[in-house]
Coordinates of all heavy atoms in Angstrom, one line a residue:
M1 N 5.7 -2.7 -23.3 CA 4.8 -2.3 -22.3 C 5.7 -2.0 -21.1 O 6.7 -2.7 -20.7 CB 3.9 -3.6 -21.8 CG 3.1 -3.3 -20.7 SD 2.1 -4.9 -20.3 CE 1.9 -4.6 -18.6
N2 N 5.3 -0.9 -20.4 CA 6.0 -0.4 -19.2 C 5.6 -1.1 -18.0 O 4.4 -1.2 -17.7 CB 5.7 1.1 -19.1 CG 6.5 1.6 -17.9 OD1 7.2 1.0 -17.2 ND2 6.3 2.9 -17.6
P3 N 6.6 -1.9 -17.3 CA 6.1 -2.6 -16.1 C 5.9 -1.8 -14.9 O 5.5 -2.5 -13.9 CB 7.4 -3.6 -16.0 CG 8.5 -2.9 -16.5 CD 7.9 -2.0 -17.7
A4 N 6.2 -0.6 -14.9 CA 6.1 0.2 -13.8 C 4.8 0.2 -13.0 O 4.7 0.0 -11.7 CB 6.5 1.7 -14.0
P5 N 3.6 0.2 -13.7 CA 2.3 0.2 -13.0 C 2.2 -1.2 -12.2 O 1.7 -1.2 -11.1 CB 1.3 0.4 -14.1 CG 2.0 1.1 -15.1 CD 3.4 0.8 -15.1
L6 N 2.6 -2.2 -12.9 CA 2.5 -3.5 -12.1 C 3.4 -3.6 -11.0 O 3.1 -4.1 -10.0 CB 2.9 -4.6 -13.2 CG 2.7 -6.1 -12.7 CD1 1.4 -6.4 -12.2 CD2 3.2 -7.1 -13.8
L7 N 4.6 -3.1 -11.1 CA 5.5 -3.0 -10.0 C 4.9 -2.2 -8.9 O 5.2 -2.5 -7.7 CB 6.9 -2.5 -10.4 CG 7.7 -3.3 -11.5 CD1 9.0 -2.5 -11.9 CD2 8.0 -4.6 -10.9
L8 N 4.4 -1.0 -9.1 CA 3.8 -0.2 -8.1 C 2.7 -0.9 -7.4 O 2.6 -0.9 -6.2 CB 3.2 1.1 -8.7 CG 4.2 2.1 -9.0 CD1 3.6 3.3 -9.7 CD2 4.9 2.7 -7.7
A9 N 1.7 -1.7 -8.2 CA 0.7 -2.4 -7.5 C 1.3 -3.5 -6.6 O 0.8 -3.7 -5.6 CB -0.2 -3.0 -8.7
L10 N 2.3 -4.2 -7.2 CA 2.9 -5.2 -6.4 C 3.5 -4.7 -5.1 O 3.4 -5.3 -4.0 CB 3.9 -6.0 -7.2 CG 4.5 -7.3 -6.6 CD1 3.5 -8.2 -6.0 CD2 5.4 -7.9 -7.5
A11 N 4.1 -3.5 -5.3 CA 4.8 -3.0 -4.1 C 3.7 -2.6 -3.0 O 4.0 -2.8 -1.8 CB 5.6 -1.7 -4.4
A12 N 2.6 -2.0 -3.5 CA 1.5 -1.7 -2.6 C 1.0 -3.0 -1.9 O 0.8 -2.9 -0.7 CB 0.5 -0.9 -3.3
L13 N 0.8 -3.9 -2.6 CA 0.3 -5.3 -2.1 C 1.3 -5.8 -1.0 O 0.8 -6.3 0.0 CB 0.1 -6.4 -3.2 CG -1.2 -6.0 -4.1 CD1 -1.2 -7.1 -5.2 CD2 -2.4 -6.2 -3.3
L14 N 2.6 -5.8 -1.4 CA 3.5 -6.3 -0.4 C 3.5 -5.4 0.9 O 3.7 -5.9 2.0 CB 4.9 -6.3 -1.0 CG 5.2 -7.3 -2.1 CD1 6.5 -7.1 -2.8 CD2 5.1 -8.7 -1.5
D15 N 3.4 -4.1 0.7 CA 3.3 -3.1 1.8 C 2.1 -3.5 2.8 O 2.2 -3.5 4.0 CB 3.3 -1.8 1.4 CG 3.5 -0.8 2.5 OD1 4.5 -0.9 3.3 OD2 2.7 0.1 2.6
V16 N 1.0 -3.8 2.2 CA -0.3 -4.1 2.9 C 0.0 -5.5 3.6 O -0.5 -5.5 4.8 CB -1.5 -4.2 2.0 CG1 -2.7 -4.7 2.7 CG2 -1.8 -2.8 1.5
G17 N 0.6 -6.4 2.9 CA 0.9 -7.7 3.6 C 1.8 -7.5 4.7 O 1.7 -8.1 5.8
A18 N 2.8 -6.6 4.5 CA 3.8 -6.3 5.7 C 3.0 -5.7 6.9 O 3.3 -6.1 8.0 CB 4.9 -5.3 5.2
N19 N 2.1 -4.8 6.6 CA 1.3 -4.2 7.7 C 0.5 -5.2 8.4 O 0.5 -5.1 9.6 CB 0.4 -3.0 7.1 CG 1.3 -1.9 6.7 OD1 2.4 -1.6 7.2 ND2 0.7 -1.2 5.7
A20 N -0.2 -6.0 7.7 CA -0.9 -7.2 8.5 C 0.0 -8.1 9.2 O -0.4 -8.4 10.3 CB -1.7 -8.0 7.3
L21 N 1.2 -8.4 8.7 CA 2.0 -9.2 9.5 C 2.6 -8.4 10.7 O 2.8 -9.1 11.8 CB 3.2 -9.7 8.6 CG 2.9 -10.8 7.6 CD1 4.0 -10.9 6.6 CD2 2.7 -12.1 8.4
L22 N 2.8 -7.1 10.6 CA 3.2 -6.4 11.7 C 2.2 -6.4 12.8 O 2.6 -6.5 14.0 CB 3.4 -4.9 11.1 CG 4.5 -4.0 12.0 CD1 5.8 -4.8 12.1 CD2 4.6 -2.7 11.3
K23 N 0.9 -6.3 12.4 CA -0.1 -6.4 13.4 C -0.1 -7.8 14.1 O -0.2 -7.9 15.3 CB -1.5 -6.2 12.8 CG -2.6 -6.3 13.8 CD -3.9 -5.8 13.2 CE -5.1 -6.1 14.1 NZ -5.2 -5.1 15.2
K24 N 0.1 -8.8 13.3 CA 0.3 -10.2 13.9 C 1.4 -10.4 14.8 O 1.5 -11.2 15.6 CB 0.3 -11.2 12.8 CG -1.0 -11.5 12.1 CD -1.0 -12.7 11.2 CE -2.0 -13.6 11.8 NZ -2.0 -14.9 11.4
S25 N 2.5 -9.5 14.6 CA 3.7 -9.7 15.3 C 3.5 -9.2 16.8 O 4.4 -9.5 17.6 CB 4.9 -8.9 14.7 OG 4.9 -7.6 15.0
D26 N 2.4 -8.5 17.1 CA 2.1 -8.0 18.4 C 3.3 -7.2 19.0 O 3.9 -7.5 20.0 CB 1.9 -9.3 19.3 CG 1.2 -8.8 20.6 OD1 0.5 -7.8 20.7 OD2 1.4 -9.6 21.7
G27 N 3.7 -6.2 18.2 CA 4.7 -5.3 18.7 C 6.1 -6.0 18.6 O 6.9 -5.8 19.5
F28 N 6.3 -6.9 17.8 CA 7.4 -7.8 17.6 C 7.7 -8.7 18.9 O 8.8 -9.2 19.1 CB 8.8 -6.8 17.4 CG 8.8 -6.4 16.1 CD1 8.5 -5.1 15.7 CD2 9.4 -7.1 15.0 CE1 8.5 -4.6 14.4 CE2 9.5 -6.6 13.7 CZ 9.1 -5.3 13.5
R29 N 6.6 -9.0 19.5 CA 6.7 -10.1 20.6 C 6.7 -11.5 19.9 O 7.2 -12.3 20.4 CB 5.5 -10.0 21.5 CG 5.7 -8.8 22.4 CD 4.5 -8.8 23.4 NE 4.4 -7.4 24.0 CZ 3.3 -6.9 24.3 NH1 2.1 -7.5 24.2 NH2 3.3 -5.6 24.7
R30 N 6.2 -11.5 18.7 CA 6.2 -12.7 17.8 C 7.2 -12.4 16.8 O 6.9 -11.7 15.8 CB 4.8 -13.1 17.4 CG 3.8 -13.5 18.5 CD 2.5 -13.9 18.0 NE 2.6 -14.9 17.0 CZ 1.8 -15.1 16.1 NH1 0.8 -14.2 15.8 NH2 1.9 -16.1 15.2
L31 N 8.4 -12.9 16.8 CA 9.4 -12.6 15.9 C 9.1 -13.0 14.4 O 9.6 -12.3 13.4 CB 10.7 -13.2 16.3 CG 11.8 -12.2 16.6 CD1 11.4 -11.1 17.5 CD2 13.1 -12.8 17.0
G32 N 8.6 -14.2 14.2 CA 8.4 -14.7 12.8 C 7.6 -13.7 11.9 O 8.1 -13.3 11.0
P33 N 6.4 -13.4 12.3 CA 5.7 -12.3 11.5 C 6.4 -11.0 11.4 O 6.3 -10.3 10.4 CB 4.3 -12.2 12.2 CG 4.1 -13.4 13.1 CD 5.6 -13.8 13.4
G34 N 7.1 -10.5 12.4 CA 7.8 -9.2 12.5 C 8.9 -9.3 11.5 O 9.0 -8.3 10.7
I35 N 9.6 -10.4 11.5 CA 10.8 -10.5 10.5 C 10.3 -10.6 9.1 O 10.8 -9.8 8.1 CB 11.7 -11.7 10.8 CG1 12.5 -11.3 12.1 CG2 12.7 -11.9 9.7 CD1 13.1 -12.5 12.8
L36 N 9.3 -11.3 8.8 CA 8.6 -11.4 7.5 C 8.1 -10.0 7.1 O 8.3 -9.6 5.8 CB 7.6 -12.4 7.5 CG 7.0 -12.9 6.0 CD1 8.0 -13.2 5.1 CD2 5.9 -14.0 6.3
A37 N 7.5 -9.4 8.0 CA 7.0 -7.9 7.7 C 8.2 -7.0 7.1 O 8.0 -6.4 6.2 CB 6.3 -7.3 8.9
L38 N 9.2 -7.1 7.9 CA 10.5 -6.3 7.5 C 11.0 -6.7 6.0 O 11.3 -5.8 5.3 CB 11.5 -6.4 8.5 CG 11.4 -5.8 9.9 CD1 12.4 -6.2 10.8 CD2 11.2 -4.3 9.7
A39 N 10.9 -8.0 5.7 CA 11.3 -8.5 4.5 C 10.4 -7.9 3.4 O 10.9 -7.6 2.3 CB 11.5 -10.0 4.4
L40 N 9.2 -8.0 3.7 CA 8.2 -7.6 2.7 C 8.2 -6.0 2.4 O 8.1 -5.6 1.3 CB 6.8 -7.9 3.1 CG 6.3 -9.4 2.9 CD1 4.9 -9.5 3.4 CD2 6.7 -9.9 1.6
V41 N 8.6 -5.2 3.5 CA 8.8 -3.8 3.4 C 10.0 -3.5 2.5 O 10.0 -2.7 1.6 CB 8.9 -3.1 4.7 CG1 9.4 -1.7 4.6 CG2 7.5 -3.2 5.5
L42 N 11.1 -4.3 2.8 CA 12.2 -4.0 2.0 C 11.9 -4.3 0.4 O 12.4 -3.7 -0.5 CB 13.4 -4.8 2.4 CG 14.1 -4.5 3.7 CD1 15.1 -5.5 4.2 CD2 14.7 -3.0 3.6
L43 N 11.3 -5.5 0.2 CA 10.9 -5.8 -1.2 C 10.0 -4.8 -1.8 O 10.2 -4.4 -3.0 CB 10.3 -7.2 -1.2 CG 10.0 -7.9 -2.6 CD1 11.3 -7.9 -3.3 CD2 9.5 -9.2 -2.5
A44 N 9.0 -4.3 -1.0 CA 8.1 -3.3 -1.5 C 8.9 -2.0 -1.9 O 8.6 -1.4 -3.0 CB 7.1 -3.0 -0.4
F45 N 9.9 -1.6 -1.0 CA 10.6 -0.3 -1.3 C 11.5 -0.6 -2.5 O 11.8 0.3 -3.4 CB 11.5 0.0 -0.1 CG 10.8 1.1 0.7 CD1 10.0 0.6 1.7 CD2 11.0 2.4 0.4 CE1 9.4 1.6 2.6 CE2 10.5 3.4 1.3 CZ 9.6 3.1 2.3
G46 N 11.9 -1.8 -2.6 CA 12.8 -2.1 -3.9 C 12.0 -2.0 -5.2 O 12.5 -1.4 -6.1
L47 N 10.8 -2.5 -5.2 CA 9.9 -2.5 -6.3 C 9.6 -1.0 -6.5 O 9.5 -0.5 -7.7 CB 8.7 -3.3 -6.2 CG 9.0 -4.8 -6.2 CD1 7.6 -5.5 -5.9 CD2 9.6 -5.2 -7.5
L48 N 9.3 -0.2 -5.5 CA 9.0 1.2 -5.6 C 10.1 1.9 -6.3 O 10.0 2.7 -7.2 CB 8.7 1.8 -4.3 CG 8.4 3.3 -4.3 CD1 7.1 3.7 -5.1 CD2 8.2 3.8 -2.9
G49 N 11.3 1.7 -5.9 CA 12.5 2.2 -6.4 C 12.7 1.9 -7.9 O 13.1 2.8 -8.6
V50 N 12.5 0.7 -8.3 CA 12.7 0.3 -9.7 C 11.7 1.0 -10.6 O 11.9 1.5 -11.7 CB 12.5 -1.2 -9.8 CG1 12.4 -1.5 -11.4 CG2 13.7 -1.9 -9.2
S51 N 10.5 1.2 -10.0 CA 9.4 1.9 -10.8 C 9.8 3.4 -11.0 O 9.3 4.0 -12.0 CB 8.0 1.7 -10.1 OG 8.0 2.6 -8.9
L52 N 10.6 3.9 -10.1 CA 11.0 5.4 -10.1 C 11.8 5.6 -11.5 O 12.1 6.8 -11.8 CB 11.6 5.8 -8.9 CG 10.7 6.0 -7.7 CD1 11.5 6.3 -6.5 CD2 9.6 7.0 -8.0
R53 N 12.3 4.6 -12.0 CA 13.1 4.7 -13.3 C 12.2 5.5 -14.4 O 12.8 6.2 -15.2 CB 13.6 3.4 -13.8 CG 14.6 2.8 -12.9 CD 15.0 1.4 -13.5 NE 16.0 0.9 -12.6 CZ 16.2 -0.5 -12.5 NH1 15.6 -1.3 -13.4 NH2 17.1 -1.0 -11.7
T54 N 11.0 5.1 -14.4 CA 10.1 5.6 -15.4 C 8.9 6.4 -14.9 O 8.2 7.1 -15.7 CB 9.5 4.5 -16.3 OG1 8.8 3.5 -15.5 CG2 10.8 3.8 -17.1
V55 N 8.5 6.4 -13.7 CA 7.4 7.1 -13.2 C 7.9 8.3 -12.3 O 8.8 8.0 -11.4 CB 6.6 6.0 -12.3 CG1 5.3 6.9 -11.7 CG2 6.1 4.9 -13.2
P56 N 7.3 9.4 -12.4 CA 7.7 10.6 -11.6 C 7.3 10.1 -10.1 O 6.5 9.5 -9.7 CB 6.8 11.7 -12.0 CG 6.3 11.3 -13.4 CD 6.3 9.9 -13.4
L57 N 8.2 10.7 -9.2 CA 8.2 10.4 -7.8 C 6.8 10.7 -7.2 O 6.4 9.8 -6.5 CB 9.2 11.2 -7.0 CG 9.2 11.1 -5.5 CD1 9.6 9.6 -5.1 CD2 10.3 12.0 -4.9
A58 N 6.2 11.8 -7.5 CA 4.9 12.1 -6.9 C 3.8 11.1 -7.3 O 3.1 10.7 -6.5 CB 4.5 13.5 -7.3
T59 N 3.9 10.8 -8.6 CA 2.9 9.8 -9.1 C 3.1 8.5 -8.4 O 2.2 7.8 -8.0 CB 3.0 9.7 -10.6 OG1 2.8 11.0 -11.1 CG2 2.0 8.8 -11.2
A60 N 4.4 8.0 -8.4 CA 4.7 6.7 -7.9 C 4.4 6.6 -6.4 O 3.7 5.6 -6.0 CB 6.2 6.3 -8.0
Y61 N 4.6 7.5 -5.7 CA 4.5 7.5 -4.2 C 3.0 7.6 -3.9 O 2.4 7.0 -3.0 CB 5.2 8.7 -3.5 CG 5.2 8.4 -2.0 CD1 5.9 7.4 -1.4 CD2 4.4 9.3 -1.2 CE1 5.9 7.2 0.1 CE2 4.4 9.1 0.2 CZ 5.1 8.1 0.8 OH 5.1 7.9 2.1
A62 N 2.3 8.5 -4.7 CA 0.8 8.6 -4.4 C 0.1 7.3 -4.8 O -0.8 6.9 -4.1 CB 0.3 9.8 -5.3
T63 N 0.6 6.7 -5.8 CA 0.0 5.5 -6.2 C 0.3 4.4 -5.1 O -0.6 3.6 -4.8 CB 0.6 4.9 -7.6 OG1 0.2 5.9 -8.5 CG2 -0.1 3.6 -8.0
W64 N 1.5 4.2 -4.7 CA 1.9 3.2 -3.8 C 1.2 3.4 -2.5 O 0.6 2.6 -1.8 CB 3.4 3.3 -3.6 CG 4.1 2.3 -2.6 CD1 3.9 0.9 -2.6 CD2 4.8 2.7 -1.5 NE1 4.6 0.5 -1.6 CE2 5.2 1.5 -0.8 CE3 5.1 3.8 -0.9 CZ2 5.8 1.5 0.3 CZ3 5.8 3.8 0.4 CH2 6.2 2.6 0.9
G65 N 1.3 4.7 -2.0 CA 0.7 5.1 -0.7 C -0.9 5.0 -0.7 O -1.4 4.5 0.2
G66 N -1.4 5.6 -1.8 CA -2.9 5.5 -1.9 C -3.5 4.1 -2.0 O -4.5 3.8 -1.3
L67 N -2.9 3.3 -2.9 CA -3.4 2.0 -3.0 C -3.2 1.2 -1.7 O -4.1 0.5 -1.3 CB -2.6 1.3 -4.1 CG -3.1 -0.1 -4.6 CD1 -4.6 0.0 -4.9 CD2 -2.3 -0.6 -5.8
G68 N -2.1 1.4 -1.0 CA -1.7 0.7 0.2 C -2.7 1.1 1.3 O -3.3 0.3 2.0
L69 N -3.0 2.4 1.3 CA -3.9 2.9 2.4 C -5.3 2.3 2.1 O -6.1 1.8 3.0 CB -4.1 4.5 2.3 CG -5.0 5.1 3.3 CD1 -4.3 5.1 4.6 CD2 -5.3 6.5 2.8
A70 N -5.9 2.4 0.9 CA -7.1 1.9 0.5 C -7.3 0.4 0.8 O -8.2 -0.1 1.5 CB -7.5 2.2 -0.8
L71 N -6.2 -0.4 0.4 CA -6.3 -1.8 0.6 C -6.2 -2.1 2.1 O -6.8 -3.1 2.6 CB -5.2 -2.5 -0.2 CG -5.4 -2.5 -1.7 CD1 -4.1 -3.1 -2.4 CD2 -6.6 -3.2 -2.1
S72 N -5.5 -1.4 2.9 CA -5.3 -1.6 4.3 C -6.6 -1.4 5.0 O -7.1 -2.1 5.9 CB -4.3 -0.7 4.9 OG -2.9 -1.1 4.4
A73 N -7.3 -0.3 4.6 CA -8.6 0.0 5.2 C -9.6 -1.1 4.9 O -10.4 -1.5 5.8 CB -9.2 1.4 4.6
L74 N -9.6 -1.6 3.6 CA -10.7 -2.7 3.3 C -10.1 -3.9 4.0 O -11.1 -4.8 4.5 CB -10.6 -2.8 1.8 CG -11.2 -1.6 1.0 CD1 -11.0 -2.0 -0.5 CD2 -12.6 -1.4 1.4
L75 N -8.9 -4.3 4.2 CA -8.4 -5.3 4.8 C -8.8 -5.3 6.4 O -9.2 -6.4 6.9 CB -7.0 -5.5 4.7 CG -6.3 -6.9 5.2 CD1 -6.8 -8.1 4.6 CD2 -4.8 -6.8 5.1
S76 N -8.7 -4.2 7.0 CA -9.0 -4.0 8.3 C -10.5 -4.2 8.5 O -10.9 -4.7 9.6 CB -8.6 -2.6 8.8 OG -9.0 -2.4 10.1
R77 N -11.2 -3.8 7.5 CA -12.7 -4.0 7.6 C -13.0 -5.4 7.5 O -13.8 -6.0 8.3 CB -13.3 -3.2 6.3 CG -14.9 -3.3 6.3 CD -15.3 -2.5 5.1 NE -16.8 -2.4 5.0 CZ -17.5 -3.2 4.2 NH1 -16.9 -3.9 3.3 NH2 -18.8 -3.1 4.3
R78 N -12.2 -6.1 6.8 CA -12.6 -7.6 6.6 C -12.0 -8.4 7.7 O -12.7 -9.3 8.3 CB -11.8 -8.1 5.3 CG -11.9 -9.6 5.1 CD -13.2 -9.9 4.3 NE -13.1 -11.3 3.9 CZ -14.0 -12.2 3.9 NH1 -15.3 -11.7 4.2 NH2 -14.0 -13.3 3.4
L79 N -10.8 -8.1 8.2 CA -10.3 -9.0 9.2 C -10.6 -8.5 10.6 O -10.7 -9.3 11.6 CB -8.6 -8.8 9.2 CG -8.0 -9.5 7.9 CD1 -6.5 -9.2 7.9 CD2 -8.4 -10.9 7.7
D80 N -10.7 -7.2 10.9 CA -11.0 -6.7 12.3 C -12.4 -6.3 12.5 O -12.8 -5.9 13.6 CB -10.1 -5.5 12.6 CG -8.7 -5.9 12.5 OD1 -8.2 -7.0 12.8 OD2 -7.8 -4.9 12.2
G81 N -13.2 -6.2 11.3 CA -14.6 -5.8 11.5 C -14.6 -4.3 11.6 O -15.7 -3.7 12.0
T82 N -13.6 -3.5 11.2 CA -13.6 -2.1 11.3 C -14.7 -1.6 10.4 O -14.8 -1.9 9.2 CB -12.3 -1.6 10.9 OG1 -11.3 -2.0 11.7 CG2 -12.3 0.0 11.0
R83 N -15.5 -0.7 11.0 CA -16.6 -0.1 10.1 C -16.1 1.1 9.5 O -15.7 2.0 10.2 CB -17.9 0.2 11.0 CG -19.0 0.6 10.2 CD -20.1 0.9 11.2 NE -21.3 1.5 10.4 CZ -21.4 2.8 10.1 NH1 -20.5 3.6 10.4 NH2 -22.4 3.2 9.3
L84 N -16.3 1.2 8.2 CA -15.9 2.4 7.5 C -17.2 3.4 7.4 O -18.2 2.9 6.8 CB -15.3 2.1 6.1 CG -14.1 1.4 6.1 CD1 -13.7 1.0 4.6 CD2 -13.0 2.1 6.7
T85 N -17.0 4.5 7.9 CA -18.2 5.5 7.9 C -18.3 6.1 6.4 O -17.4 5.9 5.7 CB -17.9 6.7 8.9 OG1 -16.7 7.4 8.4 CG2 -17.7 6.2 10.3
P86 N -19.3 6.7 6.2 CA -19.5 7.4 4.9 C -18.4 8.4 4.6 O -17.8 8.5 3.5 CB -20.8 8.1 5.0 CG -21.7 7.2 5.9 CD -20.7 6.7 6.9
T87 N -17.9 9.1 5.6 CA -16.8 10.0 5.6 C -15.6 9.2 5.1 O -14.7 9.7 4.3 CB -16.6 10.8 6.9 OG1 -17.8 11.4 7.2 CG2 -15.5 11.8 6.7
A88 N -15.3 8.1 5.8 CA -14.2 7.3 5.4 C -14.2 6.8 4.0 O -13.2 6.9 3.2 CB -14.0 6.1 6.3
W89 N -15.4 6.4 3.5 CA -15.5 5.9 2.1 C -15.2 7.1 1.2 O -14.6 7.0 0.1 CB -16.9 5.4 1.9 CG -17.1 4.0 2.5 CD1 -17.9 3.6 3.5 CD2 -16.5 2.8 1.9 NE1 -17.8 2.2 3.6 CE2 -16.9 1.7 2.7 CE3 -15.7 2.5 0.8 CZ2 -16.6 0.4 2.4 CZ3 -15.3 1.1 0.6 CH2 -15.7 0.1 1.4
A90 N -15.7 8.3 1.6 CA -15.5 9.5 0.7 C -14.1 9.8 0.7 O -13.5 10.2 -0.3 CB -16.3 10.6 1.3
G91 N -13.3 9.6 1.8 CA -11.9 9.9 1.9 C -11.2 8.9 1.0 O -10.3 9.3 0.2
L92 N -11.6 7.7 0.9 CA -11.0 6.7 0.1 C -11.1 7.1 -1.4 O -10.3 7.0 -2.3 CB -11.4 5.3 0.4 CG -11.1 4.6 1.6 CD1 -11.6 3.3 1.9 CD2 -9.5 4.5 1.7
L93 N -12.4 7.6 -1.7 CA -12.7 7.9 -3.1 C -11.8 9.2 -3.5 O -11.3 9.3 -4.5 CB -14.1 8.3 -3.3 CG -15.1 7.2 -3.3 CD1 -16.6 7.5 -3.3 CD2 -14.8 6.4 -4.6
L94 N -11.6 10.1 -2.5 CA -10.7 11.3 -2.8 C -9.3 10.8 -3.0 O -8.6 11.5 -3.8 CB -10.9 12.3 -1.7 CG -12.2 13.0 -1.5 CD1 -12.2 13.9 -0.2 CD2 -12.3 14.0 -2.7
I95 N -8.8 9.9 -2.3 CA -7.5 9.4 -2.5 C -7.3 8.8 -4.0 O -6.4 9.1 -4.7 CB -7.1 8.2 -1.5 CG1 -6.9 8.9 -0.1 CG2 -5.8 7.6 -1.9 CD1 -6.8 8.0 1.1
G96 N -8.4 8.0 -4.3 CA -8.4 7.6 -5.6 C -8.4 8.6 -6.8 O -7.6 8.6 -7.7
A97 N -9.2 9.6 -6.5 CA -9.3 10.7 -7.4 C -7.9 11.5 -7.5 O -7.5 11.9 -8.5 CB -10.4 11.6 -7.0
S98 N -7.3 11.6 -6.3 CA -6.0 12.3 -6.3 C -4.9 11.5 -7.1 O -4.1 12.1 -7.8 CB -5.5 12.5 -4.9 OG -6.4 13.3 -4.1
V99 N -4.9 10.2 -6.9 CA -4.0 9.4 -7.6 C -4.2 9.5 -9.1 O -3.2 9.7 -9.9 CB -4.0 8.0 -7.1 CG1 -3.1 7.1 -8.0 CG2 -3.4 7.8 -5.7
A100 N -5.4 9.5 -9.5 CA -5.8 9.6 -10.9 C -5.5 10.9 -11.5 O -4.9 11.0 -12.6 CB -7.3 9.3 -11.1
A101 N -5.6 12.0 -10.7 CA -5.3 13.3 -11.2 C -3.7 13.5 -11.4 O -3.2 14.0 -12.4 CB -5.8 14.4 -10.2
L102 N -3.0 12.9 -10.4 CA -1.5 12.9 -10.7 C -1.0 12.1 -11.8 O -0.1 12.5 -12.6 CB -0.8 12.3 -9.4 CG -0.5 13.3 -8.3 CD1 -0.1 12.6 -7.0 CD2 0.3 14.4 -8.7
H103 N -1.7 10.9 -12.1 CA -1.3 10.1 -13.2 C -1.7 11.0 -14.5 O -1.0 11.0 -15.5 CB -2.2 8.8 -13.3 CG -1.5 7.8 -12.5 ND1 -0.5 6.9 -13.0 CD2 -1.8 7.4 -11.3 CE1 -0.1 6.1 -12.2 NE2 -0.8 6.3 -11.1
H104 N -2.8 11.7 -14.5 CA -3.1 12.5 -15.8 C -2.2 13.7 -15.9 O -1.8 14.0 -17.0 CB -4.6 12.9 -15.5 CG -5.0 13.8 -16.7 ND1 -5.3 13.3 -17.9 CD2 -5.3 15.2 -16.8 CE1 -5.6 14.3 -18.7 NE2 -5.7 15.4 -18.0
L105 N -1.8 14.2 -14.8 CA -0.9 15.4 -14.8 C 0.5 15.0 -15.5 O 1.0 15.7 -16.3 CB -0.7 15.9 -13.4 CG 0.4 17.1 -13.2 CD1 -0.2 18.4 -13.9 CD2 0.7 17.3 -11.7
H106 N 1.0 13.8 -15.1 CA 2.3 13.3 -15.5 C 2.2 12.4 -16.7 O 3.3 11.9 -17.2 CB 3.1 12.6 -14.4 CG 3.4 13.6 -13.3 ND1 4.4 14.6 -13.4 CD2 3.0 13.7 -12.1 CE1 4.5 15.2 -12.4 NE2 3.6 14.7 -11.5
G107 N 1.0 12.2 -17.3 CA 0.8 11.4 -18.4 C 1.4 10.0 -18.2 O 1.8 9.2 -18.8

């Protein structure tokens, strides 16, 4: 079994966690969350890099970025009460469709 899809998903989750911590750091006024955010970003990039051994760059980056974007939008909805408009939901669906198309293109 190729671990790359799992590594990409984990990289996206770590990136979303880093973004949430970055928000909690209040522009690095709170050092603890800021430093942890940096550590998570480094780990996320490391996992992304490892996945590039077997996954084409466009597919890996689209997966990592698309999943991170969608999860960040949903997390913001949950934590901040951000309302996603129908257009925003359609955009998230288009991101998912784009990632799926790249996966299909590169097999």
Side-chain angles (χ1 to χ4, degrees):
M1 180 180 145
N2 183 0
L6 181 60
L7 295 176
L8 281 171
L10 185 54
L13 288 172
L14 290 171
D15 190 51
V16 171
N19 292 334
L21 285 167
L22 206 52
K23 181 172 173 72
K24 284 191 119 190
S25 79
D26 192 29
F28 282 97
R29 288 186 199 142
R30 297 182 56 217
L31 238 54
I35 290 171
L36 188 53
L38 290 174
L40 290 182
V41 166
L42 288 174
L43 188 54
F45 264 90
L47 292 174
L48 176 64
V50 171
S51 74
L52 290 173
R53 292 177 184 159
T54 58
V55 178
L57 176 62
T59 303
Y61 190 71
T63 302
W64 180 63
L67 188 57
L69 179 80
L71 291 174
S72 291
L74 295 174
L75 185 64
S76 178
R77 183 174 183 256
R78 176 88 171 144
L79 296 179
D80 299 331
T82 303
R83 184 179 177 279
L84 297 176
T85 65
T87 304
W89 283 108
L92 290 175
L93 287 173
L94 286 172
I95 289 168
S98 299
V99 170
L102 277 170
H103 275 278
H104 180 71
L105 176 68
H106 292 293

